Amino acid sequence: MLNIDYIAHHNGLQKVAAGQKLLLSIGALLIVTVSRNNSVALWTLLVMSSVIVFYAKIPLKAYVTLMLAPLGFSLAGIVTIVVSISFTNEVNTDMLWHLFTPFATLYILPSDVDRAINIFLVAFSASSCLYLLILTTPIYEISPILLKCKVPTIVIELIELIYRFIFIFLQASMQLYTAQQARLGYKSYKMSFQSLVLLISVLFRSIFFHYEKMTLAMKSRNIEHFIIPDVYLLKKKWQRLPLILFIVYVFVAIGLIFV
Amino acid sequence: MTASYFSFEHVSFLYSDGTQAINDISLTIPVGNKIAILGENGSGKSTLFKLLMGLERPTKGTILFKGKPLKYNKSGLQQLRQQVGLVFQEADHQLFASTVKQDILYGPLNLDWSIEKITSQVDKAIALTELEELENRPIHFLSGGQKKRVAIAGVYAMEPKVLILDEPTSSLDYYFSTQLTDYLKKLDTDDRTFLYSTHQINLVYEWADYYIVLHKGKVIYVGERDALFTNDALLQQAHIEKPWIVSVTQMLQNSDPQWGNIAMPHSKEALVAQIVALQKKEDLISI
Ligand SMILES: Nc1ncnc2c1ncn2[C@@H]1O[C@H](COP(=O)(O)OP(=O)(O)O)[C@@H](O)[C@H]1O
Ligand SMILES: [Mg+2]
């Protein structure tokens, strides 16, 4: 998890302007979710994954691991869509599968399968769009753009702080876990549970402690607001290749919609 | 009377759990001195710094900044903190930006400086702490010592009139520990005061010209170095190591009458110069 932030700073798309990456990723996201078309979704998944792996040069293994999370979530969600339940014993004739139980009948309809596949593809390729943004663009490069889009400062600052605290949280939990392991805290099942309970309570305490200290440090440096104006960020020009990529992507997608 | 930045008048401070961290302290922090703050663990050094920054309010007594009582409203504190900078003991608690450069940038951004001045200050601080190669690295991928250097650079870039460092060398390697006093020398001007708390006395002995010793929340010594480091009972009480220059000089003084009246040197060079001078005189006599 800690790696996401590292990858966002060290990848092949580092020199591309954040606005351009935002356009590519959010543009594709909109096209996928608005069109709700299977081939567009597959096409988007293909383009985003290729950009992430071949252009941004993010290790395939890292990307696949990260994609497992949305895969799990979408699959879990789909089960409830595919499987219908009926409490009467009426049997629909075009069922693909059914299971009678004393109380109810579980069954699957072909139309539901189509719907599920569609939702799954759309959700899955939408997450690849978001990964493109997350994996190639550090959060502080997005903030000035959000500011230009008139998002309230307080919201942007909250996003940045939450982002920062996710990493503090992860780091603290990893440190504690290592410390416990070093003293054999996870040797047996029983001890594992005890250690885990301890880990969680200490984690919360240490996060509040950290928060308090950080507030002091910010106060003492007089820090009032912390969206970095983009004059101080490295100037990044809009590049031709990503733009061409985006245009090609959009045309193919539109073509696919009308096929 | 020399000018002073801070004056403490019978200041006491209790933490909310009742710990008496500062106990009836009266002292002044003069302008233009390099001050070492010494004292055992838990003697109140970090608490003293929090009081100086206005992060805590004294439970009793008053703190004056430039002759006026500290104002704890927003503008008063802002003014104070534009002139007083603190490098925290734990760098981890001080850094919150995404990358090294950004963290250093935050302080100056919140001062009313021009873009050129901010950029040049930040670059200067980065060059000084030799962080060029780590400039765009996310903070949580740095080692403890590297984080410390970022923390130092972040405060350094703001050019505070009073620069406070709370045990800055505790996670630095030998090279950067010795380098730190060199950094500070570059910032040294007539009207800048440094406060530097440490247990590594040999690192500051040559550099610091004024000493404050805390013990259990009380000030037990304020002043020049000679009277402090020849007072064995006091050193022992406050867990302070005797600088090797002082030990060696004392050994020389006691070893032979001819060394008996060597003056206490403040640097290696001064010690060697005295020995060489005495040796020459002796050679002349024996001729
Ligand atoms: N947040 C706090 N709450 C309660 N007691 C504290 C707190 N911080 C420090 N103390 C206590 O105050 C005393 C002085 O601490 P501190 O100023 O950190 O000492 P030093 O920096 O010299 O090691 C110690 O006894 C310490 O335990
Ligand atoms: Mg301390």
Side-chain angles (χ1 to χ4, degrees):
Chain A
M1 249 317 264
L2 276 171
N3 275 327
I4 292 185
D5 204 36
Y6 189 81
I7 291 173
H9 286 88
H10 300 89
N11 64 74
L13 287 176
Q14 216 177 326
K15 301 230 157 55
V16 178
Q20 207 168 7
K21 288 180 272 191
L22 200 68
L23 177 72
L24 186 59
S25 123
I26 302 298
L29 183 70
L30 281 178
I31 290 177
V32 171
T33 47
V34 169
S35 73
R36 293 184 158 267
N37 178 308
N38 286 353
S39 17
V40 172
L42 280 173
W43 165 241
T44 308
L45 183 62
L46 180 77
V47 173
M48 292 300 134
S49 304
S50 324
V51 171
I52 290 174
V53 177
F54 298 115
Y55 191 5
K57 302 223 166 47
I58 283 151
L60 184 65
K61 199 172 151 219
Y63 177 56
V64 170
T65 318
L66 287 170
M67 282 304 265
L68 285 180
L71 185 72
F73 281 120
S74 2
L75 283 180
I78 276 172
V79 172
T80 58
I81 297 173
V82 174
V83 180
S84 311
I85 191 163
S86 155
F87 293 102
T88 60
N89 261 358
E90 269 172 49
V91 180
N92 201 318
T93 41
D94 53 354
M95 286 182 302
L96 290 178
W97 171 89
H98 57 82
L99 177 74
F100 294 108
T101 67
F103 317 104
T105 313
L106 297 174
Y107 59 96
I108 294 177
L109 290 176
S111 60
D112 282 342
V113 174
D114 289 344
R115 209 155 61 93
I117 290 177
N118 179 249
I119 290 177
F120 171 75
L121 286 177
V122 169
F124 198 56
S125 82
S127 15
S128 74
C129 299
L130 284 180
Y131 270 132
L132 174 71
L133 185 66
I134 295 171
L135 290 175
T136 61
T137 320
I139 188 91
Y140 57 84
E141 287 188 358
I142 302 175
S143 304
I145 300 173
L146 294 179
L147 201 62
K148 268 189 209 139
C149 299
K150 303 264 185 299
V151 177
T153 322
I154 180 107
V155 174
I156 303 174
E157 288 183 343
L158 267 177
I159 293 175
E160 284 209 16
L161 271 186
I162 290 169
Y163 187 79
R164 173 89 183 113
F165 262 90
I166 289 173
F167 290 106
I168 291 176
F169 200 82
L170 282 173
Q171 205 164 28
S173 54
M174 270 175 0
Q175 277 166 2
L176 287 169
Y177 182 71
T178 321
Q180 286 183 325
Q181 265 191 329
R183 284 185 277 164
L184 301 178
Y186 292 90
K187 214 170 111 198
S188 64
Y189 259 123
K190 195 171 157 231
M191 260 167 94
S192 295
F193 279 114
Q194 278 177 350
S195 298
L196 195 65
V197 169
L198 200 68
L199 178 95
I200 292 169
S201 73
V202 174
L203 194 58
F204 275 100
R205 228 182 311 143
S206 75
I207 289 292
F208 279 111
F209 182 72
H210 202 120
Y211 160 77
E212 230 169 53
K213 295 280 175 154
M214 204 158 107
T215 317
L216 285 188
M218 283 166 104
K219 275 189 195 162
S220 76
R221 284 204 283 167
N222 254 338
I223 289 165
E224 284 283 311
H225 39 79
F226 51 89
I227 297 174
I228 295 187
D230 49 8
V231 276
Y232 296 103
L233 298 177
L234 277 179
K235 294 267 176 314
K236 293 178 183 174
K237 282 215 186 77
W238 280 55
Q239 293 181 4
R240 203 170 293 153
L241 183 58
L243 205 62
I244 294 173
L245 242 160
F246 182 64
I247 292 170
V248 171
Y249 161 76
V250 171
F251 273 107
V252 175
I254 291 175
L256 285 171
I257 294 175
F258 292 108
V259 163
Chain B
M1 230 199 93
T2 53
S4 69
Y5 276 122
F6 286 98
S7 316
F8 278 49
E9 292 173 353
H10 299 287
V11 172
S12 295
F13 179 76
L14 267 81
Y15 278 106
S16 49
D17 65 352
T19 312
Q20 175 114 38
I22 295 290
N23 191 354
D24 194 21
I25 282 184
S26 296
L27 56 79
T28 58
I29 306 288
V31 170
N33 276 89
K34 299 185 270 289
I35 305 172
I37 312 277
L38 310 177
E40 77 277 2
N41 292 331
S43 57
K45 303 181 294 293
S46 298
T47 310
L48 177 74
F49 295 154
K50 280 193 224 160
L51 288 169
L52 291 175
M53 294 300 297
L55 295 169
E56 300 283 6
R57 279 182 88 141
T59 330
K60 268 197 220 122
T62 33
I63 299 176
L64 307 178
F65 179 63
K66 291 185 169 171
K68 292 195 199 96
L70 264 188
K71 286 199 196 68
Y72 290 88
N73 57 22
K74 195 168 169 180
S75 72
L77 288 174
Q78 223 160 19
Q79 274 195 357
L80 172 75
R81 291 167 190 164
Q82 280 175 10
Q83 301 174 68
V84 187
L86 168 62
V87 178
F88 281 77
Q89 193 163 356
E90 295 95 356
D92 253 326
H93 296 150
Q94 180 176 335
L95 308 173
F96 61 87
S98 305
T99 67
V100 169
K101 185 162 187 181
Q102 287 181 12
D103 204 275
I104 301 172
L105 194 57
Y106 273 127
L109 265 188
N110 284 274
L111 298 170
D112 303 320
W113 285 351
S114 68
I115 292 176
E116 293 77 33
K117 166 124 197 203
I118 291 177
T119 322
S120 85
Q121 277 304 114
V122 170
D123 290 342
K124 218 162 84 183
I126 288 177
L128 188 90
T129 44
E130 302 176 39
L131 284 168
E132 292 96 338
E133 281 176 13
L134 303 174
E135 212 176 270
N136 292 314
R137 177 112 37 127
I139 298 279
H140 40 261
F141 287 103
L142 299 180
S143 76
Q146 291 169 333
K147 282 184 192 162
K148 194 77 200 198
R149 277 150 58 201
V150 179
I152 293 170
V155 175
Y156 188 100
M158 298 172 78
E159 293 202 318
K161 284 279 172 256
V162 181
L163 179 54
I164 308 173
L165 301 121
D166 195 355
E167 298 190 26
T169 52
S170 53
S171 57
L172 292 180
D173 64 22
Y174 171 73
Y175 171 78
F176 284 107
S177 299
T178 48
Q179 206 70 359
L180 183 59
T181 39
D182 289 343
Y183 300 167
L184 298 182
K185 278 177 197 153
K186 290 192 194 155
L187 267 189
D188 198 3
T189 57
D190 287 342
D191 62 346
R192 180 163 285 134
T193 292
F194 298 89
L195 289 146
Y196 186 134
S197 82
T198 187
H199 301 290
Q200 284 155 299
I201 192 67
N202 286 307
L203 284 176
V204 292
Y205 179 73
E206 287 186 26
W207 171 79
D209 54 16
Y210 197 81
Y211 291 79
I212 295 175
V213 179
L214 292 176
H215 177 64
K216 296 192 173 158
K218 280 187 177 293
V219 171
I220 56 171
Y221 183 86
V222 180
E224 304 295 322
R225 67 196 107 183
D226 294 348
L228 170 64
F229 291 114
T230 48
N231 186 340
D232 289 338
L234 200 152
L235 293 183
Q236 203 156 32
Q237 185 188 14
H239 298 190
I240 299 172
E241 182 191 354
K242 189 178 276 193
W244 70 262
I245 296 182
V246 177
S247 304
V248 168
T249 310
Q250 286 181 335
M251 278 183 197
L252 279 174
Q253 286 169 342
N254 298 332
S255 67
D256 194 304
Q258 66 160 326
W259 305 112
N261 44 16
I262 284 187
M264 190 55 75
H266 293 163
S267 67
K268 299 185 263 233
E269 289 78 14
L271 176 61
V272 172
Q274 284 193 70
I275 295 175
V276 170
L278 269 177
Q279 202 69 52
K280 275 200 185 126
K281 213 157 73 187
E282 202 154 288
D283 290 347
L284 279 178
I285 293 167
S286 59
I287 290 168

